[in-house]
Amino acid sequence: MRSDRLNILQAETRAGSGVEKEPFLSVIMPVHQGEAWIAATLDSLAAEPNEDLEIVVIDSSPTSATAATVERFSHRLPVKLLQRRDLGPWQTKTNLGIELAAADHACILHQDDLWLVGRVEAARRWLADAPEADLHLAPTAIIDRQGRRMGRWNCPLPAGEVLGAEFLLGRLLIQNFVSVPAPIFRRSAWLACGGMDERLWYTADWDMWIKLAATGQVVYHDEITTAFRVHGSSLTVTGSRDAGEFRAQMQTVLDRYLSLLPASSRRWIEPAARASISVNVALAAASGGDLKALLHAARVVLSLGPNGTRRYLRDSRLRERVTCRLRAKLTGAF
């Protein structure tokens, strides 16, 4: 069945001849009207050793502009381009790309994010050092529209050890601290979890990391090898403008997995997680000009008490998230 799907992919590929040997990593790129960013993204891939990578680009653009850019990289990258204008959400394209992937491990790279020098070497090392892990997490750099570094997106996790499901779940439920381009995951584990929930337009990645964390081994590597771009036209920014739907997306994930924690942990994690949702909604409102929302958010956080507030600030990465976006706004690049 899988070979049939791969044959379909190869038949519909318009760029590149694919890899000649089994790739060690499949890079899944769900794209849509990415012509403003994708050349820089593909350049970052081409700057790394890529002879045993597989790059699967699934393009839903209504025009050929993005595909034409991808085709220009066919001599520099082992890229397979699948044009599927019938597929809208990035989650749907990502699920398809991972289903079609040839490597045992995969990662996701959006059209506006970047790989940094050393990504391939790091990926090989991570997989060799922790071969049983289903999910490898890492921090990422935050860049603005022009590619300038605005800061560092950390994960509040200890590095270099297998993380327990309860420990990781307790922190992930407070805030999604995983940047999409950084993780590397086992393809079979992704498929066993059912892939991304395509109904979650904003929190599908958060939901996916929790599913993987709850069912397999996870290791955090304190090494930046990717960059996440913040800009005003990103889905994160545009989608969060509907406050009710924005809150519902986060609430769905919390309600779905909170019961996996023992009661002793839920007593303090649930208030912090609900406060985090309120803060995220308030930050989105403030970004749209409603600064009064920040006062409500501050009251919610302070209601957690001294210990609860400290834990929330640690796990939410609130300071670094806000600081990076403020820097981007002040430079006029957000």
Side-chain angles (χ1 to χ4, degrees), residues 47-261:
E48 287 289 282
N50 56 61
E51 61 277 0
D52 56 353
L53 296 178
E54 175 191 50
I55 301 167
V56 180
V57 180
I58 301 183
D59 178 24
S60 60
S61 304
T63 71
S64 60
T66 298
T69 302
V70 175
E71 288 174 337
R72 289 202 296 272
F73 282 82
S74 62
H75 66 292
R76 299 174 60 194
L77 290 170
V79 61
K80 297 176 180 178
L81 170 64
L82 180 61
Q83 291 189 278
R84 288 292 303 270
R85 293 174 182 172
D86 59 314
L87 300 181
W90 75 269
Q91 299 89 338
T92 304
K93 289 175 285 193
T94 299
N95 281 337
L96 176 60
I98 292 170
E99 184 180 1
L100 295 170
D104 290 335
H105 290 85
C107 61
I108 305 166
L109 186 62
H110 284 164
Q111 63 198 33
D112 47 0
D113 297 333
L114 302 175
W115 275 17
L116 302 180
V117 174
R119 169 68 167 177
V120 170
E121 178 187 352
R124 292 187 193 280
R125 188 179 348 106
W126 298 352
L127 298 181
D129 290 348
E132 301 304 316
D134 287 335
L135 177 62
H136 297 262
L137 299 178
T140 192
I142 299 177
I143 59 174
D144 68 5
R145 180 180 290 273
Q146 276 78 43
R148 296 173 295 200
R149 286 208 186 193
M150 296 288 105
R152 171 184 170 118
W153 181 332
N154 292 303
C155 301
L157 302 171
E161 60 186 74
V162 176
L163 302 173
E166 181 182 335
F167 170 83
L168 190 52
L169 185 61
R171 296 200 172 186
L172 262 177
L173 281 177
I174 291 174
Q175 176 68 38
N176 178 20
F177 47 71
V178 182
S179 172
V180 169
I184 293 174
F185 47 86
R186 195 182 305 277
R187 176 183 174 274
S188 59
W190 177 289
L191 296 177
C193 289
M196 281 188 172
D197 184 342
E198 297 172 10
R199 297 166 296 181
L200 298 175
W201 59 263
Y202 179 71
T203 53
D205 58 321
W206 185 23
D207 180 82
M208 192 67 223
W209 310 138
I210 291 174
K211 286 192 288 189
L212 289 170
T215 57
Q217 292 188 10
V218 182
V219 176
Y220 176 61
H221 308 270
D222 191 17
E223 186 174 2
I224 293 179
T225 63
T226 57
F228 176 86
R229 193 187 302 270
V230 293
H231 57 91
S233 56
S234 68
L235 177 62
T236 303
V237 174
T238 58
S240 63
R241 290 171 184 158
D242 184 335
E245 178 61 20
F246 187 49
R247 179 182 289 275
Q249 287 279 306
M250 292 179 284
Q251 192 68 52
T252 295
V253 175
L254 177 60
D255 292 344
R256 186 174 284 178
Y257 300 107
L258 189 61
S259 63
L260 296 181
L261 291 173

